Amino acid sequence: MDLEDTMAEKLTSQSVDFPRWYQEVVQRAQLAENSPVRGSMIIRPYGYALWEQMQSVLDGMFKETGHLNAYFPLLIPESFLRKEAEHIEGFSPELAIVTHAGGKKLEEPYVIRPTSETIIWDAFSNWIQSYRDLPLLINQWANVVRWEMRPRLFLRTTEFLWQEGHTAHATAEEAHEETIRMLGVYAQFAEEYMAIPVIQGVKTEREKFAGAVKTYSIEAMMGDGKALQAGTSHDLGQNFAKAFDVKYQSAEGTEEYVWATSWGVSTRLVGALVMAHGDDQGLVLPPRLAPIQTVIVPIYKGEEQRGVVLEACGRMEAALKDSGARTHLDDRDQFRPGYKFNEWELKGVPVRIEVGPRDLEKGEVVLAFRHNGEKKSLPIEQVTAQVMNVLEEAQKGLFEKALASREDRTYTVDSYDEFKERIDGGGFFLCHWDGTTETEEKIQNETKATIRNIPLEAPDDPGQCMVTGNPSARRVIISKGY
RNA sequence: CGGGGUGUGGCUCAGCUUGGUAGAGCGCCACGUUCGGGACGUGGAGGCCGGAGGUUCGAAUCCUCUCACCCCGACCA
């Protein structure tokens, strides 16, 4: 009873029950809620605004790197998926299939896209004839459906929104470069915009995308020390080109199969943001992505003060918007300031500006920072000049905090016994692994932890597999994951 | 698919054992007092108790069937 009473006001503490904290934050900050269809979520305006911020930045980065947006159909003939053997095998357990339409049974069932390689490569086979058509750099923003048994808002839902890039190249080298380049774009986005440090690396054979030659990922550490795959980039080799017979004529006149990549990030990134920075007060959003960067909370007693304070707030709102800050003035009269402070903290707004009669007398306002809880007074006329600076400081502070937190919880371990003892405490473990699927599965079965990836930047550091003692060229990241 | 559980105003739940006029807190609406860290008072709106059938003078409560959802074990951006 006590617990439920407090629940109405306070969030479950992260240290008590992190998953429950996550669930509560997502719903109470009005990012999303469960829908009547199990596994599907309703993304509410505040959550969608956050996704739109992400989309807008990423879309710019894709265009900057030469990609063009297009849109391919939601429904894919089932036979298309069957053309690439590994692809259909990997995806079949999570497919939703349309068998009836127009009041009758369909000749051929349509799969609701779980990803679009097949329908896109079918089109590419018509688009590509010559080396002059290459590289072909396409991106699409879309929804996909992958049937989920254990859904979690944003992290694992049956339907989710994402972006999928699909490219075709003349050579294996070019395709490989594209794969790595887009992985780098994701890493840059994660670090510079989401303020989340990530580790770029290769997935193991077992974890790679169904139909890929190699899968690369960026892995981020969440507030509880678990890993989250925040983006993937696949080197598809010629697998799809062969399955869909996509050949081009080279300058020398020979006929060659093209080389492919695909890469994607999804609304899972919203979950990553929540879990990487959030605290017991709620969300903590990085200024560059926050839908509201500064919120103005007026403080007043009585009608007379209300008029004066709101007028000052209105001027400040206009000035802040002019200087480029996404600003909201919370002029609701039915809530007191303390309530608003808590609500905007729950929603993760980076900077709160408190404007009361005492401040106005001194010609000042109070700035309160979400990421470190600090408050300071500032002369009114300096606010607009300084706001972008303080937001950038907050952005940087948030990244540094996340980086320090990850470094604190990254361990180099050589003994499997020690690993087994410590893995439940969370964190990234840098360990030697002999490269076999058997050992990988043994680790997962015995500890529930998985090899997240093999870092690209790992130095050569020969050693012995902590499980089998067999030789290992470099360390891999092992962690429990989402 | 195996094990456990829950369905009662928007939300969290009580009531069910032992049938007898549907309740509480929060939220919502109105008015007033408040307003520098989650305000208070007064009044008010809102529910065929998941669904179907049965027992009974009478069912949220007992019986049967059914549906849905949640939690725990095998895949995944």
Side-chain angles (χ1 to χ4, degrees):
Chain A
M1 218 39 188
D2 273 0
L3 201 82
E4 281 143 19
D5 280 356
T6 43
M7 240 188 72
E9 310 238 304
K10 289 218 156 154
L11 291 166
T12 297
S13 169
Q14 290 186 331
S15 57
V16 170
D17 186 343
F18 196 88
R20 184 169 166 188
W21 167 87
Y22 174 80
Q23 201 77 4
E24 287 179 13
V25 160
V26 167
Q27 298 198 40
R28 296 204 15 215
Q30 299 183 349
L31 296 178
E33 61 192 28
N34 287 307
S35 81
V37 179
R38 180 187 151 80
S40 304
M41 67 175 162
I42 296 166
I43 304 177
R44 303 187 64 175
Y46 193 59
Y48 200 77
L50 192 48
W51 175 239
E52 284 180 317
Q53 291 293 332
M54 294 179 173
Q55 273 188 303
S56 148
V57 173
L58 284 166
D59 200 60
M61 292 172 103
F62 299 152
K63 286 173 179 156
E64 194 70 25
T65 43
H67 302 85
L68 298 175
N69 283 333
Y71 186 79
F72 294 84
L74 171 73
L75 299 176
I76 302 177
E78 194 180 33
S79 58
F80 280 28
L81 271 86
R82 301 195 179 283
K83 290 189 180 182
E84 213 290 329
E86 277 185 29
H87 194 63
I88 183 66
E89 193 193 328
F91 277 108
S92 57
E94 29 187 346
L95 295 180
I97 302 175
V98 178
T99 58
H100 291 71
K104 51 185 184 180
K105 190 160 188 274
L106 293 167
E107 283 296 309
E108 182 186 354
Y110 292 130
V111 171
I112 301 178
R113 65 179 161 223
T115 180
S116 302
E117 273 76 5
T118 57
I119 192 106
I120 287 179
W121 278 85
D122 179 69
F124 279 8
S125 70
N126 296 323
W127 295 2
I128 298 169
Q129 277 115 44
S130 141
Y131 73 96
R132 295 181 193 277
D133 297 322
L134 298 174
L136 180 57
L137 308 175
I138 296 295
N139 177 64
Q140 90 164 342
W141 291 95
N143 58 337
V144 288
V145 167
R146 299 181 183 177
W147 217 253
E148 284 294 342
M149 316 226 193
R150 301 205 48 209
R152 302 246 267 136
L153 290 172
F154 289 114
L155 301 175
R156 267 191 316 234
T157 49
T158 282
E159 179 184 1
F160 57 91
L161 307 183
W162 79 344
Q163 143 290 304
E164 46 181 325
H166 296 273
T167 69
H169 306 264
T171 66
E173 293 69 36
E174 263 186 52
H176 179 73
E177 278 168 25
E178 169 78 359
T179 309
I180 298 299
R181 173 168 65 151
M182 297 320 288
L183 186 73
V185 165
Y186 289 154
Q188 186 189 353
F189 175 74
E191 301 197 336
E192 292 182 10
Y193 289 86
M194 297 177 67
I196 299 175
V198 293
I199 293 170
Q200 305 181 47
V202 194
K203 282 286 186 182
T204 63
E205 270 307 289
R206 203 175 67 113
E207 299 272 335
K208 77 176 189 199
F209 176 75
V213 172
K214 290 265 185 215
T215 287
Y216 298 81
S217 73
I218 53 171
E219 300 285 333
M221 188 187 286
M222 302 294 101
D224 60 352
K226 288 193 190 171
L228 183 79
Q229 178 173 303
T232 50
S233 186
H234 313 291
D235 186 337
L236 301 175
Q238 294 180 310
N239 291 348
F240 285 90
K242 286 178 177 164
F244 288 86
D245 197 33
V246 186
K247 294 179 196 159
Y248 72 95
Q249 196 171 19
S250 70
E252 294 75 35
T254 58
E255 200 173 54
E256 311 282 348
Y257 283 112
V258 304
W259 301 80
T261 81
S262 70
W263 27 273
V265 296
S266 70
T267 37
R268 170 180 267 194
L269 290 181
V270 176
L273 214 46
V274 174
M275 288 200 296
H277 300 309
D279 61 23
D280 283 354
Q281 266 60 253
L283 297 179
V284 180
L285 297 180
R288 289 186 181 177
L289 295 177
I292 298 173
Q293 295 172 309
T294 60
V295 63
I296 303 170
V297 177
I299 298 161
Y300 50 80
K301 290 182 206 185
E303 276 306 307
E304 195 181 325
Q305 276 190 2
R306 177 164 187 263
V308 175
V309 170
L310 280 183
E311 201 202 320
C313 287
R315 280 198 304 271
M316 174 153 300
E317 181 193 18
L320 282 168
K321 284 181 172 168
D322 280 347
S323 59
R326 294 187 287 274
T327 301
H328 175 71
L329 167 57
D330 186 355
D331 59 1
R332 294 173 298 175
D333 194 35
Q334 71 268 38
F335 298 112
R336 299 156 93 208
Y339 179 91
K340 295 179 182 176
F341 294 172
N342 282 289
E343 179 169 312
W344 293 113
E345 281 167 10
L346 173 66
K347 290 195 161 190
V349 174
V351 175
R352 176 179 71 241
I353 302 176
E354 307 173 10
V355 181
R358 291 210 300 264
D359 305 305
L360 293 179
E361 261 174 44
K362 291 183 284 185
E364 294 182 339
V365 294
V366 173
L367 266 54
F369 301 95
R370 181 64 180 90
H371 72 293
N372 59 14
E374 287 171 13
K375 280 195 187 192
K376 71 174 182 189
S377 289
L378 200 65
I380 288 179
E381 62 274 14
Q382 287 184 29
V383 172
T384 52
Q386 289 209 22
V387 67
M388 294 322 257
N389 290 337
V390 300
L391 287 171
E392 276 306 300
E393 273 172 40
Q395 178 82 29
K396 204 192 288 176
L398 204 53
F399 177 78
E400 279 163 8
K401 189 172 162 188
L403 182 60
S405 159
R406 187 187 76 187
E407 285 174 350
D408 279 350
R409 288 181 293 176
T410 298
Y411 316 108
T412 301
V413 170
D414 289 318
S415 144
Y416 190 42
D417 285 335
E418 183 186 348
F419 174 82
K420 282 192 278 195
E421 260 172 47
R422 295 175 58 187
I423 186 67
D424 283 337
F428 286 1
F429 291 75
L430 301 176
C431 306
H432 282 295
W433 164 60
D434 63 14
T436 66
T437 301
E438 291 73 28
T439 304
E440 186 179 4
E441 285 175 351
K442 180 176 159 81
I443 294 171
Q444 180 168 3
N445 291 337
E446 291 180 358
T447 67
K448 305 269 184 214
T450 50
I451 299 174
R452 303 311 305 179
N453 69 20
I454 304 158
L456 294 184
E457 304 210 336
D460 280 343
D461 174 22
Q464 295 179 316
C465 172
M466 71 170 174
V467 179
T468 63
N470 292 331
S472 150
R474 61 175 57 81
R475 291 177 186 275
V476 300
I477 306 171
I478 309 181
S479 169
K480 294 199 173 183
Y482 279 96

